[in-house]
Amino acid sequence: MSGLTRRRALGAAAALTSAAAVTAAVTTTASADGQGHDHGHEAPTGPAAGHDHGAPAPFDEVYRGRRIQGRPVAAGEHHGAHHGAGYTVFVDGAELHVMRNADGSWISVVSHYDPVPTPRAAARAAVDELQGARLLPFPAN
């Protein structure tokens, strides 16, 4: 039996994603401090400072008769903090476990092998896949 398990592969992917995020943060900080290359962009100040423009927008809608919601996770909040890149999604009030892939696509526990571009699309794909069934809680490890 191979020594590579799904759990180890996901752990390695999470470690690589974390390392890439730290590298990006350090590079951004160095550029903002004037230590990196100047590409003619100023660091944001005021209310926009520290805001991630690449983060998905919150949503709250009814899709095929099901209420789907998504929002960034607030600091200290548990929902979506592990793999959801600071984003949580709900279907009819039940949390849909989502994960952001290294390429920026999103998957959910319901449609794990069908990546989509946004958490909203992941929620819609889950509703389609559930075909009216209730979303059951996903046990956390």
Side-chain angles (χ1 to χ4, degrees), residues 2-69:
S2 173
L4 181 63
T5 64
R6 184 176 178 183
R7 181 175 291 223
R8 287 185 185 190
L10 288 174
L16 289 172
T17 302
S18 296
V22 168
T23 302
V26 169
T27 303
T28 302
T29 302
S31 293
D33 290 342
Q35 297 172 3
H37 300 288
D38 183 14
H39 296 287
H41 301 290
E42 292 183 24
T45 58
H51 179 71
D52 182 10
H53 293 286
F59 63 91
D60 186 350
E61 68 182 40
V62 175
Y63 176 74
R64 296 194 176 186
R66 311 287 293 270
R67 185 173 185 194
I68 59 173
Q69 301 168 294

Side-chain angles (χ1 to χ4, degrees), residues 13-14 16-18 20 83 99-107:
L16 289 172
T17 302
S18 296
H83 303 291
M99 184 173 84
R100 189 170 200 168
N101 293 323
D103 66 356
S105 64
W106 292 79
I107 57 174

